[in-house]
Amino acid sequence: MVTYTVHEPPDPGSDRADRGVELEFVKDGFSWLTAICPPIGFLANGLWLFTLAYFVGAAALGWVLSTLKLGPQMTGVVFLIINIYLGFEISTLKRWMLEQTGWQALGVVTGKSIAECERRFFESWLPTQPIIAGEAAGQSGSSVPPVPVRRGSRFWPFGTRR
């Protein structure tokens, strides 16, 4: 079973279909990619600021460990421990970053896959959302504009992910 937290952007659309498209599902659990190479794991999750912080912190820690005259084996063990810790905490960092940018947590959902988690969440969430008049009359297919393709990262400073 996998667990996802569901987050909504700070300025959600008025239509429940638009709001549903904008939701972000953040998987809770260990990230092998982040444990093996944290900068790539951070970039894969759109956390470019943490990528820069990792490089600065790794350089500073490497300098401190060399100043303390620790051997390369001990330095490797220290970085291994840090990378494993980051593998466990990547989802927490992503949720924290979403919260800092104004996103709201809507809930937690579990299932066997992302598809099942999305289905379970929307089955309980959609009935509580308001229906727009055109959607209630059965005209939602003709008046709804196409959904834009999402590219990039919502944390990237050069544009939004919409």
Side-chain angles (χ1 to χ4, degrees):
M1 295 291 266
V2 293
T3 304
Y4 287 87
T5 55
V6 185
H7 304 269
E8 184 175 47
D11 54 350
S14 59
D15 183 15
R16 69 182 185 171
D18 292 338
R19 290 180 66 202
V21 169
E22 295 173 346
L23 296 179
E24 179 80 21
F25 286 75
V26 179
K27 183 179 180 183
D28 191 31
F30 186 75
S31 168
W32 281 101
L33 180 62
T34 306
I36 292 170
C37 185
I40 294 174
F42 290 145
L43 290 175
N45 283 287
L47 301 173
W48 64 273
L49 191 59
F50 285 100
T51 304
L52 295 175
Y54 180 83
F55 283 127
V56 170
L61 182 61
W63 179 80
V64 167
L65 294 177
S66 68
T67 303
L68 294 174
K69 306 264 191 264
L70 290 177
Q73 294 85 6
M74 186 56 86
T75 301
V77 168
V78 169
F79 276 97
L80 178 67
I81 292 170
I82 290 170
N83 291 356
I84 290 172
Y85 175 75
L86 290 173
F88 280 109
E89 293 299 323
I90 186 71
S91 56
T92 304
L93 293 174
K94 187 167 185 177
R95 283 191 293 270
W96 180 80
M97 196 65 171
L98 286 170
E99 183 180 307
Q100 295 304 310
T101 56
W103 288 63
Q104 294 180 344
L106 295 180
V108 179
V109 64
T110 60
K112 294 180 182 177
S113 66
I114 180 66
E116 183 178 339
C117 289
E118 287 175 345
R119 181 187 53 78
R120 284 183 176 185
F121 176 77
F122 286 119
E123 282 177 352
S124 64
W125 182 76
L126 279 177
T128 64
Q129 301 307 307
I131 299 174
I132 294 183
E135 188 176 324
Q139 302 170 353
S140 63
S142 61
S143 64
V144 177
V147 178
V149 177
R150 298 171 80 178
R151 292 188 174 94
S153 168
R154 67 182 83 261
F155 305 121
W156 185 251
F158 306 109
T160 59
R161 186 178 164 189
R162 292 189 185 223

